[in-house]
Amino acid sequence: MSSTPETKPSASYADNKKAPVSTSMPEHISLDKWADTGFEWSGEVDPNSFERLATTLSAEHDQSNTQLNAELYRRNNVLHLAFTLKGDIWLTCQRCLQPVAVDLSDDYNIALLENDSQVRLIDEEQDYLLLDEIVTEQSPERLLPFKKLVEDEILLKTPMAPKHDDCEMSVEQFGEIPEEEENENPFAALASLKGKL
C-alpha cells in the first residue's frame, strides 16, 4: 500500500510509533528511544507538581489542573518539542495581596539543536536550545528534561509582579497629614529678606 504525501499513516501504525500513554507527566524523555520515532503525551498537570513554580503560587486559592498536550518530533532534520497548555494558575496580586488568575493557555515550540550549525535550519523567530546544554546522560540513554522544559516556559510566561487589571493599592494612613497653606508664594520669604540686607 503506497501513501501519497497528503495521507497520514493509519492510526494503528502511528500508535505503535508513539510512547505509551501514562497518567503522570514524565520527568524525562529518552532521546535514544523516541527522537526518531516521535513521542506524544497528553494529560492534566497539577501546577504544584512543578517545584520552582509552586513557590510562586497563591496559598489563598486552590489550583486547578492544567491541560497539557505535548509532542516530540523531527522536521527538516531538527528535533522539536511542541506543547499546548490550557488553564490558569493563581498567584498573589502585588497590590492588594489577593489571589489573581494568570492564563497560561498558549502554544509553545522549542527547536532542540544538536549544534550551532543547525540554527540556519530554523526560522529566525523560533526559540531553540542546544541539546548538549540540557540533556542529562544516564547510561545507557540520553534524557531530555521534559518536565523542566515545560516548567521553564511556564515561568517565562508568569509575570514577575502579578496584579489585577483594575486593582487599587490598599494604603493605610497613620497620623495626620499636615495641610499646606494655599497659594503660598515660595519667593515671599526672599522678598522679606531683600530689604534687610
Side-chain angles (χ1 to χ4, degrees), residues 48-105:
N48 288 298
S49 69
F50 296 105
E51 286 181 26
R52 291 172 293 153
L53 178 65
T55 63
T56 67
L57 298 175
S58 171
E60 304 294 319
H61 197 285
D62 291 337
Q63 303 292 332
S64 299
N65 286 350
T66 302
Q67 180 65 38
L68 172 66
N69 299 315
E71 180 181 12
L72 182 71
Y73 66 92
R74 191 176 293 280
R75 184 177 69 217
N76 296 337
N77 203 30
V78 175
L79 198 60
H80 291 262
L81 176 63
F83 57 93
T84 302
L85 285 171
K86 287 189 179 137
D88 297 333
I89 55 173
W90 289 87
L91 304 176
T92 302
C93 174
Q94 297 303 295
R95 286 189 174 164
C96 68
L97 302 179
Q98 296 301 310
V100 58
V102 174
D103 186 13
L104 295 181
S105 301

Side-chain angles (χ1 to χ4, degrees), residues 69-167:
N69 299 315
E71 180 181 12
L72 182 71
Y73 66 92
R74 191 176 293 280
R75 184 177 69 217
N76 296 337
N77 203 30
V78 175
L79 198 60
H80 291 262
L81 176 63
F83 57 93
T84 302
L85 285 171
K86 287 189 179 137
D88 297 333
I89 55 173
W90 289 87
L91 304 176
T92 302
C93 174
Q94 297 303 295
R95 286 189 174 164
C96 68
L97 302 179
Q98 296 301 310
V100 58
V102 174
D103 186 13
L104 295 181
S105 301
D106 209 346
D107 295 324
Y108 303 82
N109 192 318
I110 307 165
L112 305 170
L113 308 182
E114 295 286 345
N115 53 55
D116 288 325
S117 67
Q118 285 192 311
V119 171
R120 61 184 170 75
L121 300 175
I122 60 174
D123 295 333
E124 288 181 17
E125 305 85 35
Q126 172 82 59
D127 291 332
Y128 70 89
L129 296 169
L130 293 174
L131 282 171
D132 288 346
E133 295 176 359
I134 57 171
V135 168
T136 54
E137 301 279 343
Q138 286 191 354
S139 122
E141 55 190 345
R142 295 168 58 215
L143 299 175
L144 182 71
F146 173 54
K147 189 171 184 177
K148 179 185 179 300
L149 292 178
V150 171
E151 184 178 20
D152 287 348
E153 293 300 312
I154 292 173
L155 290 171
L156 287 172
K157 189 165 177 80
T158 304
M160 293 287 288
K163 59 184 182 287
H164 296 101
D165 291 336
D166 57 352
C167 189

Side-chain angles (χ1 to χ4, degrees), residues 163-175:
K163 59 184 182 287
H164 296 101
D165 291 336
D166 57 352
C167 189
E168 294 296 327
M169 185 179 296
S170 62
V171 177
E172 291 186 26
Q173 178 181 323
F174 295 98

Side-chain angles (χ1 to χ4, degrees), residues 28-44:
H28 299 90
I29 299 172
S30 169
L31 292 179
D32 298 331
K33 190 173 188 180
W34 302 112
D36 293 323
T37 58
F39 176 93
E40 290 181 359
W41 188 84
S42 292
E44 292 190 348

